[in-house]
Structure formats: structure tokens, C-alpha cells
Amino acid sequence: REELVAELAGAFVCAALGINPPVRHADYIASWLDLLQSDDRAIFHAASQASKAADLILVDHRANAAKLAA
């Protein structure tokens, strides 16, 4: 489950920054279909945690970018 959260967070961060990585997030997440099909709430839990992780990463990224620009 942690890998699913990490992969979703990575996809969220890339999307927010306009990065089109060579990694195929959709293919990797598709490998989690068994978990997602067996637990109706798994995707919501994973997406919630991934969103929080992505927000932390993006706040830090923006703070560093602001420091470099100053």
C-alpha cells in the first residue's frame, strides 16, 4: 500500500510541476488492481495520503525556488 501512495504522490507532483516523466504511472498503478478491487476504500485512502505527501513536497519545492530567486 505504501508503494501505491508513493506512486500516486509522484504522479501528483509531476502533474503539478508540468513534468512528463518517462515512468508510466498508469501502468504501475494498474498492477495494484487486485488491492483496489478487493478494498473499495483503498484508492481513496491512498489518494488522500498521496495528496498530503505531494503537498509537503510542493511546499518545500516552492520555498526553495523562492530562495533561489531572491
Side-chain angles (χ1 to χ4, degrees):
R1 291 181 189 248
E2 291 85 8
E3 288 182 32
L4 178 59
V5 171
E7 188 65 24
L8 285 170
F12 294 164
V13 168
C14 287
L17 297 176
I19 298 170
N20 188 11
V23 178
R24 299 193 52 163
H25 298 288
D27 292 342
Y28 184 75
I29 292 170
S31 71
W32 289 91
L33 282 179
D34 287 339
L35 168 66
L36 298 175
Q37 289 173 342
S38 67
D39 182 353
D40 293 340
R41 298 188 56 183
I43 190 64
F44 299 109
H45 181 71
S48 174
Q49 290 193 342
S51 178
K52 291 174 187 174
D55 287 346
L56 287 173
I57 292 166
L58 291 169
V59 164
D60 188 55
H61 170 76
R62 290 179 182 126
N64 287 333
K67 286 179 187 176
L68 290 174

